[in-house]
Amino acid sequence: MSDRKNQGQQQRFAKPTHAIQDPRTYDWIRQMFVGAEVHAAIVAFTRGWKQQLAFLFKTLLERRARRTGYVSEKTVENRRQVLFQVFEQLREDGIKLRYVTHLKGRHINLLLQRWDREGLANSTIQERVSHLRFFSELIGKAGMIQPKEKMAVHGIDPKRITSESVTKVDKSWSAKKVDIQTILKQADLQDVRLGLILRAIAAFGLRVKEAVRLPPHEADQGSVIATLDVEALDVVHGTKGGRHRLVPVDTPDLRALVDDMKRLVPPGDSLSGKHRKLDAALRWYYREIAKLGITKDQLGVTSHGLRHEYVHVRLEAQGVIAPVKARNVDELRTVARPKMSRKEIMVVRRAVSESIGHSRPSMITAYSGSFVRPPKPPTEPDGIVALPKPDGTPSAPAASSVQPDEQPPAGE
């Protein structure tokens, strides 16, 4: 009887067949990996924290946070540097975690307090928090980073860790009284390729990398948006995460610009020249625009301001003034009538946002400012005002008046 009892206890308390001493970490590994990756993960997690992070970067840490696909190489490298630095600094402070999955909220608070004492810039802390937030979700501890309202309890200023996604300053060139056409002509004289790059940014709202690496012949897709009978430019190279997008070529001026790029740049070549690698092309580009005074210290603008200009122009073409251009709510409210529904607002916001490479309509506020809802007149429907057409008649309503924290209408 005693032998049977001992046998049952041995079966009940049998030693695990793996070397992971923390059951929760082992369960997480079994949940995240399958097949041969499970054994590889167990081997990595029986070693030091550096081997654990290295394994995770090979398997998980190159992915996006909330969508399928992978992030850009730059984001991966930044994420790698931040996470390795995080665990290194914890060890410097006497916190030696056996498994990287043992990271907790109190460790995050200690890091934030340290970075605050070191006087790091807000943008640097915000980037590190962003990578830590992704890592915390990955290891099943999404609530590890507390809301900004609770950070003050730990002596951390919420403004240090949260970025403002809504611009309050008009960063377009026209707002700084910069003559765009004059600068573009000067760029043409300095280097015809430089002029094309700046024109591509201004006309299609491209990022610098996208414009520098744009191959005109390959990007010109002709009438690809058949349902709208609109030609488009296929932007692939230099995009974030390699996610391509179609930018409308819907005016004669845009069509002429694409034709000029194809005439001046041979097939298989990019606007910066295929003889230049990306890093060299970017160094050349920023060196050349500095000669034109396109810096904050000289003209008070950057080439990224042309993307802001593009957003403002696209909104105004549909009859809506960018809120950042209005000096107050009354000015925005009294531009014109009529107004539009939330559903119509979301459609336009999404279209403009996608044209500059953002999938979330709320990202448009980083360029246009917040679409503040004006005071509601007693006899008129709710919504946002629209600019009048040249003949004085009201134009079709367009962009959004929904605040970033508001929920889109059902079905959006």
Side-chain angles (χ1 to χ4, degrees):
M1 189 72 176
S2 60
D3 292 340
R4 186 177 299 178
K5 182 177 180 181
N6 292 336
Q7 184 179 1
Q9 289 178 347
Q10 290 176 1
Q11 292 178 353
R12 181 180 178 184
F13 301 106
K15 292 183 179 180
T17 57
H18 56 82
I20 305 297
Q21 297 185 4
D22 179 21
R24 289 175 297 181
T25 298
Y26 178 71
D27 292 341
W28 177 81
I29 290 175
R30 297 286 298 181
Q31 180 183 357
M32 298 301 296
F33 303 101
V34 294
E37 284 187 345
V38 174
H39 176 71
I42 291 174
V43 172
F45 273 73
T46 56
R47 300 175 180 175
W49 63 272
K50 291 184 179 180
Q51 288 79 7
Q52 295 172 30
L53 279 182
F55 174 77
L56 293 181
F57 270 104
K58 290 181 180 179
T59 55
L60 298 176
L61 291 177
E62 294 183 358
R63 300 180 183 179
R64 295 185 183 276
R66 295 177 178 84
R67 304 194 305 273
T68 58
Y70 297 86
V71 295
S72 66
E73 294 181 1
K74 180 181 178 182
T75 301
V76 171
E77 183 57 32
N78 291 343
R79 185 176 290 171
R80 186 190 308 275
Q81 293 178 2
V82 168
L83 291 180
F84 273 88
Q85 185 180 37
V86 160
F87 287 94
E88 187 67 50
Q89 290 183 343
L90 286 175
R91 294 180 70 84
E92 292 174 1
D93 293 339
I95 302 174
K96 299 180 180 180
L97 303 179
R98 181 164 193 159
Y99 304 114
V100 294
T101 53
H102 284 179
L103 188 67
K104 297 181 180 179
R106 60 186 178 88
H107 302 143
I108 303 296
N109 293 337
L110 290 175
L111 287 168
L112 291 173
Q113 292 169 359
R114 170 175 175 160
W115 297 338
D116 186 55
R117 291 195 306 270
E118 292 176 352
L120 298 183
N122 289 359
S123 58
T124 302
I125 296 179
Q126 290 159 12
E127 181 186 12
R128 294 183 180 183
V129 169
S130 176
H131 293 309
L132 282 172
R133 183 174 286 109
F134 170 78
F135 185 75
S136 68
E137 293 176 357
L138 182 70
I139 63 177
K141 299 179 179 179
M144 188 164 56
I145 300 179
Q146 295 178 331
K148 61 181 181 179
E149 295 80 7
K150 297 184 179 180
M151 285 298 178
V153 178
H154 305 285
I156 303 168
D157 185 357
K159 295 181 180 179
R160 298 278 278 154
I161 63 172
T162 55
S163 58
E164 181 59 64
S165 61
V166 180
T167 184
K168 297 179 181 178
V169 179
D170 189 349
K171 300 178 182 179
S172 64
W173 284 25
S174 58
K176 302 296 183 180
K177 309 300 180 183
V178 176
D179 191 333
I180 298 178
Q181 295 304 318
T182 298
I183 297 295
L184 293 179
K185 291 178 181 178
Q186 293 175 355
D188 292 336
L189 296 175
Q190 186 167 313
D191 191 315
V192 65
R193 288 180 178 268
L194 179 65
L196 291 176
I197 292 173
L198 288 173
R199 292 176 188 277
I201 296 174
F204 300 108
L206 304 183
R207 300 180 178 94
V208 171
K209 283 186 180 180
E210 296 168 348
V212 164
R213 277 291 174 254
L214 183 71
H217 289 269
E218 292 73 16
D220 185 12
Q221 295 296 306
S223 298
V224 295
I225 310 180
T227 56
L228 300 178
D229 193 23
V230 174
E231 298 179 356
L233 201 68
D234 191 12
V235 183
V236 178
H237 305 283
T239 59
K240 288 189 175 182
R243 185 168 61 94
H244 85 100
R245 69 180 184 277
L246 297 174
V247 183
V249 183
D250 51 4
T251 67
D253 289 341
L254 295 180
R255 180 71 257 172
L257 175 58
V258 174
D259 293 339
D260 286 343
M261 291 191 295
K262 293 170 65 175
R263 177 174 54 84
L264 296 170
V265 178
D269 198 1
S270 65
L271 294 186
S272 62
K274 61 182 179 181
H275 63 285
R276 294 188 178 100
K277 294 183 178 180
L278 178 59
D279 290 343
L282 292 175
R283 288 194 299 270
W284 164 80
Y285 170 77
Y286 285 113
R287 183 172 60 249
E288 293 300 312
I289 65 172
K291 296 178 182 177
L292 295 171
I294 306 176
T295 65
K296 288 185 177 181
D297 293 335
Q298 299 180 71
L299 292 177
V301 297
T302 64
S303 56
H304 190 73
L306 290 174
R307 263 168 71 83
H308 289 254
E309 194 83 38
Y310 173 83
V311 170
H312 299 173
V313 170
R314 295 298 294 188
L315 290 176
E316 189 169 349
Q318 300 182 65
V320 175
I321 186 174
V324 76
K325 289 185 173 295
R327 290 170 294 185
N328 51 57
V329 174
D330 290 336
E331 181 176 326
L332 180 63
R333 178 177 181 268
T334 57
V335 173
R337 296 294 189 274
K339 302 183 179 182
M340 60 185 299
S341 68
R342 283 193 178 189
K343 187 172 183 179
E344 292 171 323
I345 288 171
M346 292 302 297
V347 169
V348 175
R349 287 182 66 174
R350 180 171 290 110
V352 179
S353 199
E354 288 179 351
S355 71
I356 59 173
H358 291 290
S359 58
R360 290 178 294 164
S362 61
M363 287 303 298
I364 201 69
T365 58
Y367 300 86
S368 64
S370 175
F371 285 89
V372 179
R373 189 180 301 278
K376 181 179 177 181
T379 59
E380 296 181 8
D382 201 5
I384 186 170
V385 298
L387 291 174
K389 295 181 179 179
D391 59 1
T393 59
S395 62
S400 171
S401 64
V402 181
Q403 294 293 340
D405 57 347
E406 291 182 8
Q407 294 295 325
E412 284 298 299

